[in-house]
């Protein structure tokens, strides 16, 4: 992104957690289900949530309460979003 001189906003949601409405909007921009945004290898997930049958709202609430569960980085541009893993995927949104 720096090489292409793209302006980006860095949302440090580990420092300032997202609220439900923000996270819901990001999930819609990503065009994924909430479960797809969860880092299932995180200890918090394994200890508190793994194996539970959770609704989308419950998953979003868990991510808001435990931002480490959110896959990162997320890049948003022109009402489109992408999870930047692997980093090469970010170029898809910059086109």
């Amino acid at each position: 992104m720096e090489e292409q001189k793209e302006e980006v906003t860095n949302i440090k949601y580990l420092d300032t957690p997202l609220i439900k409405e923000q996270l819901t909007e990001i999930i819609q921009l990503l065009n994924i289900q909430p479960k797809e945004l969860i880092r299932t290898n995180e200890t918090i997930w394994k200890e508190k949530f793994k194996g539970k049958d959770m609704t989308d709202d419950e998953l979003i609430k868990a991510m808001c309460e435990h931002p480490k569960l959110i896959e990162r980085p997320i890049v948003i541009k022109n009402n489109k979003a992408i999870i930047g893993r692997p980093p090469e995927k970010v170029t898809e949104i910059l086109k």
Side-chain angles (χ1 to χ4, degrees):
M1 289 186 301
E2 290 174 3
E3 290 174 7
Q4 296 185 18
K5 305 218 183 325
E6 293 289 335
E7 282 190 38
V8 296
T9 301
N10 186 7
I11 301 170
K12 296 184 178 188
Y13 51 84
L14 292 177
D15 297 332
T16 307
L18 299 169
I19 61 171
K20 180 182 177 184
E21 292 78 13
Q22 291 170 311
L23 188 54
T24 300
E25 183 178 336
I26 290 169
I27 291 167
Q28 289 172 347
L29 290 174
L30 288 165
N31 196 28
I32 62 173
Q33 297 298 311
K35 177 100 180 191
E36 296 174 74
L37 190 57
I38 293 178
R39 297 167 55 108
T40 57
N41 285 326
E42 284 291 330
T43 302
I44 295 168
W45 178 260
K46 291 177 182 178
E47 291 177 353
K48 293 187 172 217
F49 306 106
K50 185 177 180 178
K52 291 186 179 179
D53 186 23
M54 299 174 69
T55 66
D56 287 349
D57 280 343
E58 291 170 329
L59 292 169
I60 291 169
K61 181 179 178 187
M63 287 186 276
C64 289
E65 291 175 1
H66 306 281
K68 285 182 90 173
L69 292 177
I70 302 171
E71 190 64 64
R72 53 195 181 271
I74 299 169
V75 178
I76 301 172
K77 182 180 178 186
N78 297 330
N79 290 321
K80 294 180 185 177
I82 195 163
I83 298 170
R85 285 184 185 239
E88 296 77 31
K89 287 187 76 173
V90 174
T91 58
E92 294 174 22
I93 204 167
L94 300 178
K95 295 177 182 176

